[in-house]
């Protein structure tokens, strides 16, 4: 991406023709837009907000193509309300919907859509993240109470990232697969994919066991989405605090569930070898195993822990 306005990308979704992205709490007015990109990551359209957003942190797309912008960031935990901006397909004026937490302010950077179309906010705090959903229909001009509907604890990892253990603990983004049967949460270090049954995203996050996808050493990874076919996870980092000239780059990671399904399918369709072939294969296998064992003697793996806290100018937020 070469557009100078896209330096703090915090949310991204894939469309049929490209991407939609938003910046994170942009101080400069030209960056406070919803940006529509083509498949080559060139900006082809922008949509302005009718009033100034506070801290836009994520994007989600409903099954009907409605775009939801999560204005839910709260670094200082001082906001009385958070908000979602709703933009219908083809729309050019997002509508503001305000909400309030039942237990005081929270910083959050992740948004998911439940099977019934209800938005779910995932808070950023490390260790155990809260899941919050509206108690009723969102209405323009009204403030709707949120309720806590669950908590999610992510597995510990050792994935290298710029923010050490903190980067492996805080949720910075989320996405829903095109088939609505999987969702993913991300930190600065990893992605965690959960299976969803009957659209129950809360049950998936609170009771499921995620598949872990390392996202090592991304500069400041906050955005995540699925490819159109659901086979890959796509991510992009903020670049505002990176060396001059650094451009936002979309990275691609294979989805474990898809790879496992392909492997299982291939195994089911592999012809059964003859007895002679099995014997020859077994002998060859034993020889290879012996060679491999000899070659493996003395191999030592050293894993170095990355120490220190965030090195960005927004270390308090990250």
């Amino acid at each position: 991406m070469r557009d100078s306005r896209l330096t703090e990308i915090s949310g991204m979704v894939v469309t049929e023709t490209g991407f939609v992205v938003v910046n994170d709490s942009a101080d400069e007015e030209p960056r406070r837009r919803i940006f529509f990109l083509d498949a080559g990551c060139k900006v082809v359209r922008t949509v302005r907000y009718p009033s100034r957003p506070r801290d836009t942190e994520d994007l989600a797309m409903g099954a009907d193509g409605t775009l939801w912008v999560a204005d839910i960031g709260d670094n200082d935990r001082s906001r009385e309300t958070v908000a979602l901006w709703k933009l219908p397909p083809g729309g050019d004026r997002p509508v503001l919907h305000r909400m309030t937490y039942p237990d005081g302010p929270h910083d959050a950077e992740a948004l998911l859509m439940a099977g019934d179309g209800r938005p779910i906010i995932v808070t950023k705090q490390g260790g155990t993240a809260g899941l919050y959903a509206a108690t009723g229909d969102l209405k323009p001009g009204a403030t709707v109470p949120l309720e806590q509907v669950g908590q999610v604890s992510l597995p510990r990892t050792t994935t290298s990232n710029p923010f050490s253990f903190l980067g492996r603990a805080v949720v910075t983004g989320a996405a829903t697969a095109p088939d609505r049967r999987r969702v993913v949460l991300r930190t600065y270090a990893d992605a965690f994919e959960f299976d969803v049954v009957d659209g129950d995203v809360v049950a998936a996050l609170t009771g499921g066991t995620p598949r872990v996808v390392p996202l090592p050493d991304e500069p400041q990874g906050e955005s995540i989405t699925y490819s159109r076919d659901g086979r890959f996870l796509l991510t992009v980092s903020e670049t505002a605090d990176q060396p001059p000239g650094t451009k936002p780059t979309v990275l691609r990671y294979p989805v474990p569930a898809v790879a496992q399904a392909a492997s299982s399918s291939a195994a089911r369709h592999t012809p059964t070898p003859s007895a002679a072939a099995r014997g020859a294969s077994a002998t060859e296998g034993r020889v290879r195993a012996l060679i491999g064992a000899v070659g493996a003697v003395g191999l030592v793996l050293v894993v170095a822990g990355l120490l220190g806290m965030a090195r960005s100018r927004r270390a308090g937020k990250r």
Side-chain angles (χ1 to χ4, degrees):
M1 301 181 190
R2 299 185 177 278
D3 195 299
S4 61
R5 296 171 292 181
L6 301 179
T7 60
E8 295 184 275
I9 297 175
S10 59
M12 174 173 64
V13 295
V14 168
T15 67
E16 292 183 356
T17 57
F19 305 89
V20 184
V21 299
V22 292
N23 282 311
D24 169 9
S25 59
D27 294 329
E28 298 179 20
E29 195 276 335
R31 298 178 181 177
R32 294 195 294 270
R33 303 279 193 280
I34 302 171
F35 294 88
F36 290 78
L37 284 61
D38 63 17
C41 294
K42 179 182 178 181
V43 176
V44 294
R45 184 167 78 98
T46 65
V47 173
R48 297 190 181 194
Y49 301 96
S51 59
R52 179 169 180 169
R54 290 283 298 276
D55 194 349
T56 51
E57 291 286 0
D58 204 5
L59 284 173
M61 185 172 288
D64 63 351
T66 296
L67 192 68
W68 295 87
V69 182
D71 189 353
I72 56 178
D74 190 6
N75 303 344
D76 301 324
R77 292 173 174 81
S78 60
R79 294 178 64 169
E80 294 183 1
T81 64
V82 292
L84 297 179
W85 298 86
K86 180 180 180 181
L87 184 68
D92 58 5
R93 185 177 177 84
V95 178
L96 181 66
H97 299 78
R98 296 187 184 277
M99 302 162 293
T100 183
Y101 289 105
D103 51 356
H106 294 278
D107 191 20
E109 296 190 359
L111 179 69
L112 289 168
M113 304 301 295
D116 60 2
R118 188 162 67 150
I120 299 172
I121 296 172
V122 185
T123 61
K124 190 181 180 183
Q125 64 253 37
T128 301
L131 307 176
Y132 291 85
T135 57
D137 293 337
L138 299 180
K139 300 177 181 179
T143 299
V144 177
L146 293 166
E147 62 178 339
Q148 185 169 3
V149 293
Q151 293 181 317
V152 57
S153 297
L154 300 177
R156 294 183 180 181
T157 74
T158 59
T159 305
S160 177
N161 71 95
F163 308 113
S164 187
F165 65 90
L166 179 64
R168 295 189 288 269
V170 294
V171 177
T172 64
T176 301
D179 61 7
R180 305 280 158 177
R181 296 171 61 184
R182 292 167 287 141
V183 295
V184 64
L185 301 179
R186 74 157 297 164
T187 64
Y188 288 115
D190 303 278
F192 303 87
E193 187 184 49
F194 297 80
D195 291 322
V196 178
V197 179
D198 296 330
D200 196 339
V201 172
V202 172
L205 295 177
T206 58
T209 300
R211 292 172 290 273
V212 183
V213 181
L215 311 174
D217 298 320
E218 291 193 357
Q220 190 167 320
E222 297 195 3
S223 303
I224 190 165
T225 189
Y226 282 87
S227 60
R228 286 288 302 170
D229 59 10
R231 296 175 56 204
F232 299 93
L233 296 174
L234 307 179
T235 69
V236 66
S237 283
E238 293 190 14
T239 58
D241 298 317
Q242 304 307 312
T246 302
K247 302 296 183 184
T249 302
V250 177
L251 303 179
R252 188 176 73 170
Y253 302 85
V255 173
V258 175
Q260 291 169 7
S263 177
S264 299
S265 177
R268 288 195 299 270
H269 292 85
T270 300
T272 302
S274 65
R278 288 197 301 269
S281 178
T283 300
E284 182 182 9
R286 286 193 293 271
V287 172
R288 288 181 177 177
L290 178 60
I291 295 173
V294 172
V297 174
L299 183 62
V300 179
L301 297 178
V302 179
V303 179
L306 182 62
L307 302 177
M309 299 300 290
R311 53 184 167 80
S312 71
R313 60 178 172 82
R314 296 189 299 149
K317 172 178 183 297
R318 308 297 176 215

